Amino acid sequence: MMRFCFSVMLATLLFSSCNAPMTHSTATSAGILARTGVSIPAPLAQLPTPLPPGLSLDQPISSDDAAAIAIWNNAQLRADLAAIGLAEADLKDASLLLRNPRLDTLFPVGAKPFDLLFNFPLEVFLQRPRRIAVSEAALNQLAQSLIQNGVNTARDARLAFTDLWQAEQRTQLAAESVELRDRIMKLTGARFSAGDISELETIAAKSDAASAIELHQRSIGDVQLARQRLSLSLGLVVGQSSYRLSPPSILLRSTEPLDVLLEKTMSARADLRAAEIAVTTATKRAGWERRRFLWLSAQLSSKGVGNSGVLSGPGLSFEAPIFNRNQGMIARAEAEVESASRQYLALKQRAAFEVADARGQLDQARLSFANIRDGVLPPLERSVRLAEDQYKNGDVAFLFVLEQNRAWLDARQRMIDAQAAILRAQAQLERSVGSK
């Protein structure tokens, strides 16, 4: 009988070892690298440097550099990636080789004979493969979700880079605007003293100059806030990181057709893949729950019988599924399948909208940029030069020259905003499609 029990345990051990799953996954790092072109450091717990190899804060950083630093060093992304260890632990728990057997014994005290019952669970043969399959699917789902977190981290870094670059450019223009409006205010004051204009015009010039100063001061604060947000996104010490930005490159090439982008999205978006796996996971869990009502154990009973000594014999123990057949958990698992399926369909619709919306914003921003660059700025630049030439010849007043310069500054501000809109739309489109 003891040999029978050992045979059962050995067979279970061999069966389990043949189906031992992998205890780790490299899908996340490979997926982030494929979609962003940036690798994540390993091991995650110890970083030799806060910057990827080849990058230095002593040199101006680009938008791509910001994305690379964020994926390498972003604290929240590293915290998210650490969750893989939890899923791997669940998988390890699901793939444990054997459940502990149970041993019940009664000692021969008085007239009570010796009694021993050795109970070994056998339902592991039926439940363990499905339990492992559910845990593996959950691990794959988490890995895909973390890939999307990496893509989102790169997008957020690019957006923060754009915010800081735009704030710095606005500050430079605001400083020029303050200087220009100060010159206008002084000129109007001189003309008022000479009796050429009324006091109302001087009040308007002073108000305009004060507004320019207020906008300049606000823009300086915007630069500080934008730098803090970018430092946080990059995983650098906020307030103690000094770095410069390199001018971003504006790409005006035509965007791929929407149907092509949508086809790429359906195959490249990691969150869509995670939603698909969620449906698979829920389906496998439902199949597992339908079989969890069966509890079967092998038994070896030994009992002292009078002068015959201890007699032993095998047996089976099972729970009769009469009243409870795990109906509640089965219903819950089936509801999870329906919920996961509907979530997947909703995510597909939202992904298609995000791609179409980002592509539309990119086309609109590029059109606005091209119109300002080709249709607005050249005439204003020419008008500034002509006004200066006419002022030198004595044909116009200097105030007219200043007004032309003010219009040119306003157009340059619109140019910066259009460039920033292109950069944001590009970052959003890459994130929406799921690849560069």
Side-chain angles (χ1 to χ4, degrees):
M1 292 303 100
M2 294 300 295
R3 283 197 297 269
F4 168 77
C5 291
F6 285 125
S7 299
V8 172
M9 295 174 63
L10 181 60
T12 306
L13 181 64
L14 293 175
F15 177 81
S16 301
S17 62
C18 292
N19 294 275
M22 295 180 61
T23 58
H24 65 280
S25 174
T26 59
T28 299
S29 58
I32 292 177
L33 176 61
R35 288 164 174 80
T36 64
V38 182
S39 61
I40 58 177
L44 291 174
Q46 298 178 352
L47 289 180
T49 173
L51 300 178
L55 290 182
S56 173
L57 295 183
D58 295 333
Q59 301 294 328
I61 62 174
S62 65
S63 177
D64 291 338
D65 295 337
I69 296 173
I71 291 179
W72 181 272
N73 195 44
N74 184 272
Q76 185 59 53
L77 179 60
R78 293 181 64 198
D80 294 340
L81 293 175
I84 283 189
L86 301 177
E88 289 180 343
D90 292 339
L91 177 58
K92 183 177 181 179
D93 181 71
S95 60
L96 289 178
L97 300 181
L98 296 174
R99 283 180 53 192
N100 294 325
R102 178 175 175 176
L103 184 65
D104 298 325
T105 182
L106 294 176
F107 297 104
V109 178
K112 182 71 176 71
F114 171 78
D115 194 354
L116 181 144
L117 181 63
F118 180 84
N119 193 308
F120 181 77
L122 295 179
E123 68 272 5
V124 64
F125 288 100
L126 296 177
Q127 296 185 7
R128 182 176 180 272
R130 293 181 174 86
R131 186 170 63 247
I132 292 176
V134 171
S135 297
E136 286 180 335
L139 177 57
N140 292 333
Q141 177 187 351
L142 177 62
Q144 294 296 323
S145 299
L146 294 179
I147 291 174
Q148 188 63 39
N149 287 5
V151 175
N152 293 344
T153 298
R155 185 271 315 270
D156 294 342
R158 295 181 189 277
L159 293 180
F161 175 93
T162 301
D163 291 342
L164 178 56
W165 175 82
Q166 184 181 21
E168 290 179 345
Q169 297 299 310
R170 283 180 171 177
T171 300
Q172 294 179 9
L173 288 182
E176 295 182 29
S177 179
V178 168
E179 181 181 356
L180 178 64
R181 282 160 172 79
D182 183 67
R183 293 166 66 187
I184 293 177
M185 181 183 65
K186 291 179 180 179
L187 181 59
T188 54
R191 294 185 63 188
F192 171 72
S193 300
D196 296 336
I197 59 175
S198 65
E199 184 181 3
L200 183 61
E201 295 183 59
T202 62
I203 294 176
K206 291 179 181 178
S207 176
D208 194 27
S211 297
I213 294 175
E214 188 273 332
L215 290 175
H216 181 237
Q217 293 175 346
R218 186 194 306 174
S219 66
I220 294 176
D222 291 340
V223 169
Q224 295 175 350
L225 295 176
R227 182 171 291 273
Q228 292 176 4
R229 287 193 293 267
L230 180 57
S231 297
L232 177 63
S233 179
L234 301 183
L236 304 176
V237 178
V238 176
Q240 300 181 14
S241 302
S242 176
Y243 49 84
R244 293 168 295 152
L245 305 184
S246 62
S249 57
I250 306 299
L251 301 178
L252 297 180
R253 64 174 182 267
S254 59
T255 310
E256 291 178 310
L258 182 58
D259 55 346
V260 176
L261 292 176
L262 290 177
E263 184 178 355
K264 286 185 177 181
T265 301
M266 295 302 120
S267 60
R269 285 261 305 232
D271 55 349
L272 282 176
R273 178 58 182 155
E276 292 177 0
I277 298 177
V279 177
T280 304
T281 303
T283 303
K284 291 182 177 181
R285 183 176 288 110
W288 176 31
E289 294 292 349
R290 293 188 186 98
R291 292 165 177 80
R292 288 190 66 185
F293 66 88
L294 181 61
W295 300 97
L296 180 65
S297 300
Q299 291 186 337
L300 176 64
S301 177
S302 299
K303 181 176 296 186
V305 181
N307 296 328
S308 300
V310 178
L311 301 180
S312 301
L316 292 175
S317 174
F318 66 94
E319 182 178 298
I322 299 176
F323 303 107
N324 184 357
R325 295 189 298 276
N326 202 30
Q327 298 96 322
M329 296 306 297
I330 291 175
R332 179 182 178 85
E334 291 175 348
E336 289 179 350
V337 173
E338 182 179 2
S339 176
S341 301
R342 295 185 181 275
Q343 288 289 346
Y344 171 66
L345 295 177
L347 183 58
K348 285 184 65 176
Q349 293 179 353
R350 185 165 66 250
F353 166 76
E354 290 174 352
V355 172
D357 183 63
R359 186 183 185 277
Q361 291 184 13
L362 180 57
D363 291 341
Q364 183 178 5
R366 285 175 172 172
L367 179 61
S368 177
F369 173 81
N371 290 336
I372 296 174
R373 182 194 60 183
D374 301 331
V376 177
L377 280 181
L380 287 176
E381 290 177 316
R382 179 171 174 77
S383 67
V384 169
R385 290 195 300 267
L386 292 177
E388 292 176 350
D389 292 340
Q390 291 178 0
Y391 172 73
K392 293 178 182 178
N393 296 330
D395 297 333
V396 296
F398 187 61
L399 183 60
F400 179 76
V401 179
L402 297 180
E403 292 294 343
Q404 298 303 312
N405 276 277
R406 181 167 61 178
W408 185 48
L409 284 176
D410 293 341
R412 288 169 59 193
Q413 176 66 67
R414 292 166 56 192
M415 184 76 164
I416 292 173
D417 294 342
Q419 289 176 302
I422 291 177
L423 295 174
R424 292 191 182 95
Q426 286 176 339
Q428 292 288 3
L429 185 59
E430 287 185 3
R431 183 265 171 191
S432 300
V433 174
S435 64
K436 291 183 67 64

